Amino acid sequence: MSRNNRGRATPERSRDILNQLFGSLGIRNRIEQHAIWQLWDQTVGRTIACHARPVRLRQQILEVEVDHPVWMQQLQLLKPRLLASLNAQLGDHPIEGIFLRRRPVATRLQRIEHKETLPELNSLELAAISRLTAAIADPQVRAALQRLIQAHQRRHKAERLRQQLRS
């Protein structure tokens, strides 16, 4: 037995710990279902993804906004196939249905135009984030946590810059 492991329980993987936590809170299935946002483009294909986006998951029903009536009709016909494809990738916690909602293209473009551009992080900030997450063994969990921290830091940096401009 090595000196560092005396009297300690076997270390668990980060993913196992998170799965136990989410399971005890009763939200594991909802978290797994939210993988839809990552799977959507790959599952439906680039063409459909350009015209339809998932916006909400409510009571096992995925709400999808569609930008044109023709695509609404097409997706209405493809619903069973899309549902089967998404559920095949979701695994144990499938969604029960897809609800399509029309959203005008102008609204979507307007929303994109008003999206704030966040400042990039410098090499020192990125290195600090890497050091913070270095102890996480699972590369997927580590990368996801790094993206989350980077997004938070970029928003925080933007807010600091806005405050400096006001004063």
Side-chain angles (χ1 to χ4, degrees):
M1 181 181 289
S2 76
R3 186 172 199 212
N4 292 337
N5 287 335
R6 274 190 221 152
R8 291 187 188 170
T10 307
E12 297 182 55
R13 292 180 55 192
S14 304
R15 183 184 307 181
D16 296 336
I17 293 170
L18 290 174
N19 282 337
Q20 287 175 359
L21 173 66
F22 295 148
S24 68
L25 294 173
I27 59 172
R28 182 175 179 203
N29 61 340
R30 290 194 341 226
I31 289 172
E32 288 177 2
Q33 287 175 335
H34 279 80
I36 289 171
W37 276 262
Q38 293 177 335
L39 301 170
W40 181 259
D41 290 0
Q42 170 190 341
T43 303
V44 302
R46 185 176 179 187
T47 304
I48 292 174
C50 288
H51 298 281
R53 303 294 318 157
V55 291
R56 185 175 299 138
L57 185 59
R58 196 182 302 173
Q59 298 176 359
Q60 311 299 91
I61 305 295
L62 178 64
E63 190 175 316
V64 178
E65 288 184 341
V66 185
D67 67 1
H68 196 275
V70 173
W71 281 104
M72 263 306 249
Q73 180 66 33
Q74 182 67 22
L75 292 177
Q76 192 66 36
L77 297 171
L78 290 173
K79 252 194 218 184
R81 190 183 319 165
L82 293 175
L83 191 58
S85 295
L86 286 168
N87 283 336
Q89 293 188 32
L90 287 176
D92 295 338
H93 305 287
I95 58 172
E96 294 175 4
I98 297 175
F99 175 77
L100 301 173
R101 181 174 16 143
R102 173 83 165 82
R103 181 171 188 191
V105 177
T107 306
R108 175 181 253 179
L109 293 175
Q110 194 175 40
R111 186 172 167 203
I112 291 170
E113 287 173 6
H114 292 334
K115 190 172 183 179
E116 179 183 19
T117 303
L118 297 174
E120 293 299 321
L121 299 177
N122 62 38
S123 59
L124 293 175
E125 292 165 323
L126 292 171
I129 293 170
S130 292
R131 282 191 305 275
L132 277 174
T133 58
I136 299 173
D138 188 305
Q140 290 177 329
V141 173
R142 184 176 52 249
L145 187 56
Q146 285 176 342
R147 285 192 305 273
L148 180 66
I149 294 170
Q150 287 173 8
H152 173 76
Q153 291 289 71
R154 290 176 68 198
R155 283 189 206 95
H156 186 67
K157 193 174 187 177
E159 183 59 32
R160 283 193 320 256
L161 290 171
R162 277 193 298 271
Q163 287 176 355
Q164 287 175 356
L165 290 174
R166 285 185 215 139
S167 49

